[in-house]
Structure formats: C-alpha cells, structure tokens
C-alpha cells in the first residue's frame, strides 16, 4: 500500500468541490435572476405588488453550499424567501396561486410551476424556488416568519427562520472571517447576496459539507428517489455542530465530519430545532415515522449506511493506487465531476506512485541514476490525452533537447533523456527524423509534428498545470519553460497529410529542480 499523502488527497477533493459548486459566472447569473424576479413581482401587473413583496436568499444559496444536483449536467437549486404583508391565516393554495399568476407572465411565461411550499421559476441550468412567507416579528436579525404549506399530510402554516439559521451557521462555520454586514433600506424589495467566496477562501468545514451533500445526492439518484433524503438544512445543522479543532486539511475534516454524522445517526435523531428560533423544527419532515421493530426510522437508517460506506471509501482513498482512486472518486462524486480531481491526485502523488516518499526524493534518485534509472519508471498518467489520429506507424522520430537562459536565447548545454534542468531555464525540444533516402526530408512531405506535454509533482498540481494535452504549437521544435519542480516529459507525434499518425517518439523526460 502507498504512503498516506494528505496533500494529494486535498488537491483532488478541492478540484471536485470546484466542479460541483456554482462557478463565479453561474453565481453572478443566479444573483441577476434573483433580482429580476424581485423586480417582476413589484411591477404594476403583479397581483402581489400591493403586499410589499420583499425577497431574500435562503438555504444553500445563502450559506454558499449550493451544488449541482446531477452528474450529467450542471443543474442548481436556488432557494428564495418572499415576505409579504398579508394575513397569516390565508389559505396556502390561494397564496401560491396568486404568486404563480404574478410570475407566470412576460419573460417568465411558461417557465413557472406551483409546488407545495413554493413557486418554481425554471431555467435550463437552474431553478429558483420562491417560498411565500409572512414576517412574524420586526427588528429581529433572525427574521422569523410563517410559510405556507399545501402538503395534505402537514400543517398549512409553519414557522421558520431561514435567515436566523444562516446567521447561526455563518458564526459556527466561519468564526475567523469577517461576516458580511447587511444594511438594508426599510422599503427595499431585495436583499443583496454576499459575493461568493473563492474555494481557497472557504474553510474546509464548508467544503466538506458540500462534498457530503454531493455523496447524499449520488446515493439518492442510485435509489431513484425511493427513499427520502435528509434535507439540506438539517444536514447543514448537524454538520455545523462538528468542531474541527482548527484542522486545515480538507480530507481530514471530511473524514472526521463523516464520523461525527455516523455517531449522530446511530441513535434516534429525535427533534432538532433551528438554533436561532425554537419554533422552527428542522425534523418536521425527516426522518419520518419509525417502524415498530427498528431502532431508527428507515430514512435515517439508509442515510447511516450511506455514511458508513462514505467512511470506508475515504479510508481506502488514503493510499489507493491511481486506478483505484479514480474508481472511488467516480463512485462518490460522479464520473464527470471526478475526472479532473483524480488527475490532480495522480499528478500530485506521482513520486509516491513510483515508490518514493516525496518529489524531492524521486528527483535526487533520477539525478544520480540518470537514463538507466529512468527506464525503471512508469512514465505515463491517466490524464495524458490520447492521440486523436489513427495510428499507422511507418516513420522514425526521436526527441532531443537543449537548455537556454531564455526563449531563443544562447545555447547553455544539451541534455539527454532524464537530464536535470534548473527552475526558470528554457528548454528547446526538437523532433529528429530519419530520411528515407540520402539528402531527403527528415519526415514525409506534408506531415506535421504535434507535441504532448505532461507535468507531474505537487507544484504543477497546485497550480493546475499538469497538462497532459497536446500543445497548440506544431513543428519540429517546441519551447518550454521550467517553472515547476518535478518530473515532466514531452512526446512528439508525426501526422501525415491524410491525418494518420505515422510515428511517435519515446517520452523525453526532464527533471526540474
């Protein structure tokens, strides 16, 4: 088994989180759509305009844990609260029908659907759920409100405080950060949404919650919704109760948070209240009724088993081979979302995959062992792009390399395959062919040289520069800049005028230190 490399695991998990959360452009688009809905509801044609509609974000969008709900494409749920000055005794159907009519016109015509607690505005890449509510107490930061529920088996009027929960969650999860002040005009129709934090600015606890939510959704999709999954607000509350003790490793926090949830789910969950407003019961809809012979309700039991499986997968990740790591990540977070994360794990973990404790140890061995030792290594990675041309080899090609202080600068020296290069030096790789006749061309007339460049090591992985793809530059020479410590290589491919790959070189390796 390989040694446990926490940095490599963190790199892979952060890449997954970046893939499944709202991108900066999607986040800005969600804010734009959210404000547009507020304006639409305040127009003269809107039935609810006379009730001073005031809209603000709630749930995952508010606490910045939104994730895509599908591995096939990026679909996001954006939850909003719509406060109105109406009587709390209104029939939920009447309230929701009025909002539906107010939204289902103009730009939103045909894009609106009435649900049991909200009216949903649908887009191809996201939907925005507008939940009507009545503010119950003015001046309280928690903004307790009453929401309207059309579910036949639940109460019509339910008290909640989503903003209060978000403020509690922020204080719990972001204790070292300055929380955004929200100074609002008294008659404002929309609350501003805080700018989304970059992934490297989010505490590991917040990112770990996003990954657990993704695992929950993956398991739910496999069951095809036959079991009711734990609501995000309840999962967020229980996860926020985990004290990470300043642990900064995402892998470690994710593992410990999973163990924390396993301990909670192993016993009857009982009643869980919103910490900011006790009348708001977070367990009003989940886990549901318990069977007579069961220790916990079936929904909770399924989630407990899911958590145990997640724990087993995480434990196996610590030391898994690159191939097994890819299988585990795809199972936990989806094939499409996991592909780049597994590349980061493999590239960052390259030295350990070769049996060395660090990039530095591998580099030192290569420098002393030279080309003879190089032959013992496995110079290939799963993130190398496969050639897109039909392979019809009938042409010889090899690569040579020279070192220069700058691009097109004076020659410093020539290096062999596996040679050492200093940081900031420039390398000129050249493709050398073998003429089929004396004084003939090195390569067949009309052919083109394509170059594939692959980096490994922690420095390249951290900068998202593992590459493994084909350079935009073609021709008999390729210039590269030695910027990242580690073991890297290039390979030349000869493509004829018909689009067939008629020759490829061995991988030419350089050791940057």
């Amino acid at each position: 088994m390989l040694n446990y490399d926490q940095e490599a695991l963190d790199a892979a998990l952060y890449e997954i989180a970046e893939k499944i959360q709202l991108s900066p452009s999607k986040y800005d688009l969600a804010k734009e759509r959210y404000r547009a809905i507020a304006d639409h509801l305040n127009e003269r044609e809107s039935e609810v305009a006379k009730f001073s509609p005031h809209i603000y974000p709630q749930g995952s969008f508010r606490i910045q844990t939104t994730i895509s709900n599908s591995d096939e494409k990026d679909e996001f749920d954006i939850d909003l609260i719509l406060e109105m000055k109406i009587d709390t005794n209104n029939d939920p159907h009447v309230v929701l029908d009025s909002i539906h009519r107010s939204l289902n016109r103009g730009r939103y015509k045909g894009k609106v659907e009435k649900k049991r607690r909200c009216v949903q505005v649908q887009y191809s890449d996201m939907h925005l759920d507008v939940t009507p509510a009545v503010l119950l107490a003015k001046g309280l930061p928690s903004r307790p409100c009453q929401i309207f529920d059309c579910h036949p088996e639940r109460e019509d009027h339910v008290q909640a405080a989503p903003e209060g929960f978000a403020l509690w969650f922020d204080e719990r999860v972001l204790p070292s950060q300055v929380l955004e002040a929200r100074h609002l005009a008294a008659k404002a129709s929309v609350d501003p949404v805080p700018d989304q934090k970059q992934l490297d600015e989010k505490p590991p606890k917040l990112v770990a919650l996003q990954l657990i939510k993704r695992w929950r959704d993956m398991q739910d999709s496999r069951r095809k919704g036959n079991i009711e999954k734990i609501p995000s607000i309840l999962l967020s509350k229980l996860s926020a109760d985990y004290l990470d003790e300043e642990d900064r490793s995402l892998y470690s926090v994710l593992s410990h948070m999973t163990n924390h949830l396993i301990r909670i789910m192993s016993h009857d969950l009982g009643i869980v209240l919103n910490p900011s407003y006790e009348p708001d019961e977070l367990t009003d809809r989940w886990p549901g009724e318990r069977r007579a012979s069961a220790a916990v309700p079936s929904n909770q039991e399924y989630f407990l088993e899911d958590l145990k499986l997640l724990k087993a997968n995480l434990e196996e990740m610590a030391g898994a081979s690159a191939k097994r790591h890819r299988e585990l990540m795809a199972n936990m977070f989806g094939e499409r979302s996991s592909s780049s994360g597994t590349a980061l794990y493999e590239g960052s973990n390259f030295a350990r995959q070769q049996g060395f404790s660090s990039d530095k140890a591998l580099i030192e061995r290569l420098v002393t062992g030279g080309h003879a030792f190089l032959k013992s290594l496995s110079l290939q990675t799963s993130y190398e792009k496969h050639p897109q041309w039909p392979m019809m080899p009938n042409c010889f090609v090899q690569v040579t390399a020279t070192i220069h202080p700058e691009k097109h600068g004076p020659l410093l020296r020539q290096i062999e395959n596996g040679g050492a290069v200093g940081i900031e030096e420039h390398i000129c790789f050249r493709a050398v062919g073998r003429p089929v006749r004396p004084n003939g061309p090195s390569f067949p007339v009309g052919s083109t040289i394509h170059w594939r460049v692959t980096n490994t090591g922690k420095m390249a992985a951290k900068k998202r520069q593992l590459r493994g793809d084909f350079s935009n530059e073609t021709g008999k020479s390729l210039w590269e800049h030695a910027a990242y410590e580690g073991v890297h290589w290039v390979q030349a491919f000869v493509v004829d005028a018909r689009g067939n790959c008629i020759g490829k070189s061995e991988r030419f390796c350089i050791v940057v230190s």
Side-chain angles (χ1 to χ4, degrees):
M1 178 176 285
L2 300 171
N3 292 325
Y4 170 41
D5 189 340
Q6 193 162 267
E7 283 187 45
L9 293 170
D10 278 2
L13 291 172
Y14 271 113
E15 184 72 4
I16 294 276
E18 188 170 37
K19 293 293 183 183
I20 64 176
Q21 74 171 4
L22 280 165
S23 66
S25 60
K26 281 284 180 70
Y27 190 80
D28 290 341
L29 182 59
K31 291 198 297 183
E32 179 184 318
R33 289 170 172 171
Y34 149 60
R35 294 186 184 109
I37 288 175
D39 293 341
H40 194 72
L41 290 171
N42 275 277
E43 291 174 351
R44 184 178 300 175
E45 297 80 6
S46 167
E47 287 186 22
V48 301
K50 61 185 176 182
F51 301 120
S52 304
H54 184 103
I55 196 166
Y56 57 91
Q58 68 158 325
S60 299
F61 187 48
R62 166 63 178 82
I63 64 175
Q64 299 192 34
T65 60
T66 301
I67 60 168
S68 59
N69 56 20
S70 169
D71 188 47
E72 301 303 319
K73 57 181 180 178
D74 294 331
E75 294 179 327
F76 298 93
D77 300 340
I78 308 298
D79 294 317
L80 308 171
I81 285 287
L82 173 65
E83 286 180 1
M84 296 185 295
K85 294 180 179 179
I86 59 176
D87 195 294
T88 55
N89 292 322
N90 271 289
D91 184 287
H93 286 287
V94 173
V95 174
L96 289 165
D97 286 341
S98 181
I99 295 171
H100 183 273
R101 287 191 297 270
S102 297
L103 282 170
N104 193 30
R105 57 185 178 81
R107 71 169 74 180
Y108 301 115
K109 185 71 175 178
K111 297 181 179 179
V112 180
E113 182 179 350
K114 175 186 170 184
K115 301 288 187 177
R116 286 172 172 165
R117 279 193 178 186
C118 69
V119 176
Q120 187 175 95
V121 180
Q122 299 165 336
Y123 293 88
S124 61
D125 55 351
M126 66 179 71
H127 60 259
L128 286 75
D129 292 337
V130 182
T131 300
V134 178
L135 185 64
L136 296 177
K138 293 183 179 180
L140 294 180
S142 59
R143 287 172 102 150
C145 60
Q146 176 186 288
I147 61 177
F148 300 87
D149 195 332
C150 291
H151 195 288
E153 298 177 3
R154 292 197 294 259
E155 294 183 15
D156 290 351
H157 307 97
V158 180
Q159 293 191 43
E163 176 61 17
F165 175 81
L167 293 172
W168 173 86
F169 183 89
D170 284 349
E171 292 291 343
R172 190 79 174 180
V173 175
L174 310 173
S176 63
Q177 300 193 18
V178 178
L179 304 176
E180 292 84 2
R182 312 185 76 190
H183 302 297
L184 306 173
K187 295 184 179 179
S189 64
V190 58
D191 284 9
V193 182
D195 290 334
Q196 178 171 248
K197 295 175 178 62
Q198 297 298 316
L199 198 63
D200 57 2
E201 296 175 342
K202 285 186 175 183
K205 195 171 177 179
L206 198 62
V207 183
L209 173 56
Q210 289 180 286
L211 294 171
I212 291 175
K213 286 174 62 178
R214 177 63 169 201
W215 166 249
R216 173 204 64 178
D217 291 349
M218 289 292 296
Q219 291 296 89
D220 183 64
S221 65
R222 292 183 180 111
R223 296 192 188 100
K224 303 187 184 301
N226 292 330
I227 298 297
E228 189 172 353
K229 65 183 181 181
I230 182 172
S232 291
I233 188 171
L234 178 57
L235 178 57
S236 300
K237 161 65 172 71
L238 300 176
S239 299
D241 285 335
Y242 158 65
L243 299 177
D244 59 9
E245 299 178 355
E246 300 301 319
D247 193 341
R248 307 317 298 167
S249 162
L250 176 56
Y251 174 80
S252 179
V253 170
L254 177 58
S255 298
H256 292 154
M257 185 180 286
T258 300
N259 289 336
H260 163 78
L261 291 170
I262 288 173
R263 287 193 294 271
I264 292 174
M265 291 297 158
S266 297
H267 307 282
D268 193 340
L269 195 57
I271 296 175
V272 179
L273 304 176
N274 183 335
S276 72
Y277 186 66
E278 289 193 354
D280 183 6
E281 183 183 332
L282 304 184
T283 47
D284 62 335
R285 291 180 286 170
W286 195 95
E289 296 297 324
R290 176 170 40 183
R291 299 190 306 273
S293 60
V296 297
S298 58
N299 290 326
Q300 184 177 335
E301 188 176 7
Y302 274 102
F303 185 53
L304 174 60
E305 293 307 310
D306 289 345
L307 289 169
K308 290 179 178 178
L309 181 56
L310 175 61
K311 176 184 178 180
N313 287 343
L314 289 170
E315 290 175 348
E316 189 177 353
M317 277 175 61
S321 67
K323 180 181 179 182
R324 180 57 182 155
H325 182 272
R326 287 194 299 273
E327 294 171 349
L328 289 167
M329 294 284 273
N331 178 61
M332 286 188 286
F333 308 116
E335 185 69 42
R336 190 174 70 93
S337 300
S338 301
S339 57
S340 54
T342 55
L344 277 176
Y345 172 81
E346 187 178 356
S348 181
N349 210 30
F350 180 76
R352 290 178 183 265
Q353 300 284 351
Q354 307 298 325
F356 289 83
S357 60
S358 64
D359 291 335
K360 183 177 181 180
L362 174 59
I363 289 169
E364 290 175 350
R365 184 67 181 87
L366 270 168
V367 169
T368 58
H371 191 260
F373 173 71
L374 179 67
K375 291 182 177 180
S376 68
L377 299 181
S378 174
L379 294 184
Q380 55 184 349
T381 69
S382 66
Y383 54 86
E384 282 185 327
K385 299 296 188 297
H386 294 291
Q388 68 269 39
W389 314 280
M391 305 299 290
M392 301 180 65
N394 61 15
C395 171
F396 170 83
V397 57
Q398 68 177 20
V399 174
T400 64
T402 53
I403 306 302
H404 306 256
E406 58 188 10
K407 188 174 182 179
H408 301 299
L411 172 67
L412 294 179
R413 64 189 184 279
Q414 185 162 342
I415 60 169
E416 295 182 352
N417 195 350
V421 179
I423 291 282
E424 300 301 334
E425 289 187 313
H426 289 73
I427 312 105
C428 179
F429 297 100
R430 290 184 175 83
V432 179
R434 183 179 296 159
V436 295
R437 62 180 185 275
N439 301 320
S442 299
F443 302 107
V445 175
S447 60
T448 306
I449 311 298
H450 294 262
W451 297 88
R452 184 172 63 188
V453 183
T454 304
N455 294 333
T456 70
K458 294 189 185 302
M459 286 184 63
K462 196 169 290 187
K463 296 292 185 178
R464 303 296 196 271
Q465 290 296 320
L466 292 172
R467 299 171 70 175
D469 51 2
F470 285 86
S471 172
N472 292 327
E473 297 184 33
T474 59
K476 295 181 181 178
S477 63
L478 174 72
W479 284 89
E480 286 287 327
H481 175 220
Y484 310 108
E485 184 179 63
V487 179
H488 318 300
W489 56 84
V490 302
Q491 195 169 10
F493 295 78
V494 184
V495 179
D496 66 15
R498 297 179 180 179
N500 299 314
C501 183
I502 57 175
K504 66 175 181 177
S505 71
E506 292 184 350
R507 293 173 174 82
F508 191 100
C509 176
I510 61 168
V511 182
V512 180
S513 63

